Amino acid sequence: MSTMQQIVDFILELDKLKGVTRKTRPLGLDRYENSAEHSWQIAMLASSLTHFAETAIDINRVIGMLLVHDIGEIDTGDTIFYVEEGLGERKAAEFAAVTRIFGMLPEPQRAKFMALWQEFENAETPESRFAHAADRAMPVLLNLANEGQSWRENGISHERVVRRVAPPIKAGCPALWDYLEARLEDVRRKGWFGAD
Amino acid sequence: MSTMQQIVDFILELDKLKGVTRKTRPLGLDRYENSAEHSWQIAMLASSLTHFAETAIDINRVIGMLLVHDIGEIDTGDTIFYVEEGLGERKAAEFAAVTRIFGMLPEPQRAKFMALWQEFENAETPESRFAHAADRAMPVLLNLANEGQSWRENGISHERVVRRVAPPIKAGCPALWDYLEARLEDVRRKGWFGAD
């Protein structure tokens, strides 16, 4: 098979990410958000937040990570971030998925995307931590604009939101957490959260 | 208003791109594709095709252009590429739209996104031509995998597809056009096109 055909087959395989639904609804739409459009939006969020990074970061690597980080969901589906059980199994399944999907590509593309995916997963570099902050903040921002739609539908409490999203957002972009912490406290009294 | 709030308002405005529908359906789904998920997919296509560029290009700028190039459609909606009338008016409307939307941001983000959008529009640099090739090729690839769904639904002939997409794809990524030209000729006999 030609290198071009391998790339075409890979891109058509990626089309399936448009059918992987998340728990958040786009503002003003009845349907659930999918992981492809989410990946675009967090790349734009990270790019917009660049100068809030605490250390000098390569924003292009952040964007690269955000564009590929959910591709494993083509095989595994999306799991709401607040589920804390079975994380090890989910991570193994996502690794198997991206090994299969990036494996459709020739080199060096396969290695490039795999390295971006792995850097995001490891969350050890300033770039990957910044990427995680954008990824974790986005559904919070949508919920803050949407009367807590996915928190209420899934019974997620204020305490649980804070416990789960504060550490990665603080670690990657402290100024973003300062903003969100105050906003979350504001809406706590409005009944926009579920009970655990 | 704080800089952070400006960025948040901008990102929530971008959410509307998830509701701008195109004429192509994602493979296996009943609904139409939206411009947000399309923007993600063509960023992945360009990234995968990097080594097919004819000259050395900065792929990060290509990706940046592809992530922002459709944002004006939040105000104008999507127009199928095969419509040749009214191009000047549509371009003016898109410019007004991105001026409004990027104008929600502080500097330097506003200028950064505006420059990427303008570089794409001008299509004068190797990076912007490569970006156009990815943007034009993607619906062709989906149609080739989808029995010409959007060509048949919109009465687009083989001749019209070739006349409209060959120049930008050849200009940006000749190897991609060589691949597509042969595939388009293959499916010509299958009745996957409309009549003009």
Side-chain angles (χ1 to χ4, degrees):
Chain A
M1 193 190 300
S2 74
T3 303
M4 185 64 84
Q5 188 61 53
Q6 288 179 288
I7 293 169
V8 168
D9 290 346
F10 169 73
I11 289 296
L12 295 176
E13 181 69 18
L14 292 192
D15 216 52
K16 296 178 183 168
L17 201 62
K18 299 173 185 170
V20 174
T21 50
R22 296 165 48 83
K23 299 293 180 280
T24 313
R25 298 176 196 270
L27 302 178
L29 298 182
D30 273 338
R31 65 174 179 83
Y32 287 102
E33 180 187 43
N34 70 65
S35 294
E37 62 198 353
H38 162 72
S39 297
W40 167 77
Q41 191 171 32
I42 56 179
M44 289 300 302
L45 175 59
S47 185
S48 302
L49 287 170
T50 307
H51 75 284
F52 282 106
E54 290 238 297
T55 56
I57 57 168
D58 176 356
I59 191 63
N60 295 316
R61 223 164 70 242
V62 175
I63 292 169
M65 281 186 252
L66 290 171
L67 293 178
V68 304
H69 83 293
D70 271 344
I71 287 175
E73 295 180 357
I74 287 172
D75 288 352
T76 67
D78 176 66
T79 304
I80 193 167
F81 179 60
Y82 301 100
V83 173
E84 293 170 79
E85 301 76 34
L87 184 65
E89 290 79 358
R90 288 205 307 280
K91 288 295 163 195
E94 282 193 25
F95 180 79
V98 294
T99 301
R100 177 186 77 74
I101 298 164
F102 296 144
M104 298 175 73
L105 286 169
E107 298 291 2
Q109 291 95 322
R110 180 198 317 220
K112 173 175 80 171
F113 291 142
M114 200 70 201
L116 287 166
W117 186 87
Q118 194 65 63
E119 181 178 354
F120 183 86
E121 283 301 303
N122 293 347
E124 289 168 352
T125 60
E127 282 81 2
S128 58
R129 287 196 290 261
F130 196 75
H132 275 278
D135 186 37
R136 295 310 171 203
M138 196 62 242
V140 176
L141 291 171
L142 288 172
N143 270 309
L144 287 170
N146 214 0
E147 304 193 349
Q149 167 261 320
S150 83
W151 297 326
R152 288 183 290 108
E153 289 183 9
N154 295 282
I156 309 294
S157 67
H158 177 275
E159 291 68 26
R160 193 161 187 174
V161 171
V162 171
R163 184 172 78 242
R164 291 287 281 151
V165 307
I169 300 176
K170 266 187 204 171
C173 187
L176 181 56
W177 177 248
D178 291 344
Y179 170 87
L180 291 175
E181 186 174 31
R183 295 286 315 274
L184 287 166
E185 193 54 42
D186 281 347
V187 304
R188 182 178 203 160
R189 286 174 291 270
K190 295 187 181 174
W192 290 8
F193 294 95
D196 268 326
Chain B
M1 192 190 301
S2 74
T3 303
M4 185 64 84
Q5 188 62 52
Q6 289 179 287
I7 293 169
V8 168
D9 291 346
F10 169 73
I11 289 295
L12 295 176
E13 182 69 18
L14 292 193
D15 217 52
K16 295 177 184 168
L17 200 62
K18 299 174 184 171
V20 174
T21 50
R22 296 165 48 84
K23 299 293 180 280
T24 313
R25 298 176 196 269
L27 302 179
L29 298 181
D30 272 338
R31 65 173 179 83
Y32 288 102
E33 180 186 43
N34 70 65
S35 294
E37 62 197 355
H38 163 71
S39 297
W40 167 77
Q41 190 171 33
I42 57 179
M44 289 299 302
L45 175 59
S47 186
S48 303
L49 286 171
T50 307
H51 75 284
F52 282 105
E54 289 238 298
T55 56
I57 56 167
D58 175 355
I59 190 64
N60 295 315
R61 223 165 71 241
V62 175
I63 292 169
M65 281 186 252
L66 290 171
L67 293 178
V68 305
H69 82 293
D70 271 344
I71 286 175
E73 295 180 357
I74 287 172
D75 288 352
T76 67
D78 176 67
T79 304
I80 193 167
F81 179 60
Y82 302 100
V83 174
E84 293 167 81
E85 299 75 34
L87 184 66
E89 291 79 356
R90 288 207 306 279
K91 289 294 162 196
E94 282 194 25
F95 180 79
V98 294
T99 301
R100 178 187 75 75
I101 298 165
F102 296 144
M104 299 176 71
L105 286 169
E107 298 291 3
Q109 291 94 322
R110 180 198 318 219
K112 173 175 79 171
F113 292 142
M114 201 69 201
L116 287 167
W117 185 88
Q118 195 64 65
E119 182 178 353
F120 182 86
E121 283 301 304
N122 293 347
E124 289 168 352
T125 60
E127 282 81 2
S128 59
R129 287 196 289 260
F130 196 75
H132 275 277
D135 186 35
R136 294 310 171 204
M138 196 64 242
V140 176
L141 291 171
L142 288 172
N143 269 311
L144 287 170
N146 214 359
E147 304 193 350
Q149 167 260 320
S150 83
W151 297 326
R152 286 183 293 109
E153 288 182 11
N154 295 282
I156 310 294
S157 67
H158 177 275
E159 291 67 27
R160 193 161 186 173
V161 172
V162 171
R163 183 172 79 242
R164 291 288 281 150
V165 307
I169 300 176
K170 266 187 205 170
C173 187
L176 180 57
W177 177 249
D178 291 344
Y179 169 87
L180 290 175
E181 186 175 31
R183 293 286 315 276
L184 287 166
E185 193 55 42
D186 281 346
V187 302
R188 183 179 204 161
R189 285 173 293 269
K190 295 187 181 174
W192 290 9
F193 294 95
D196 267 326

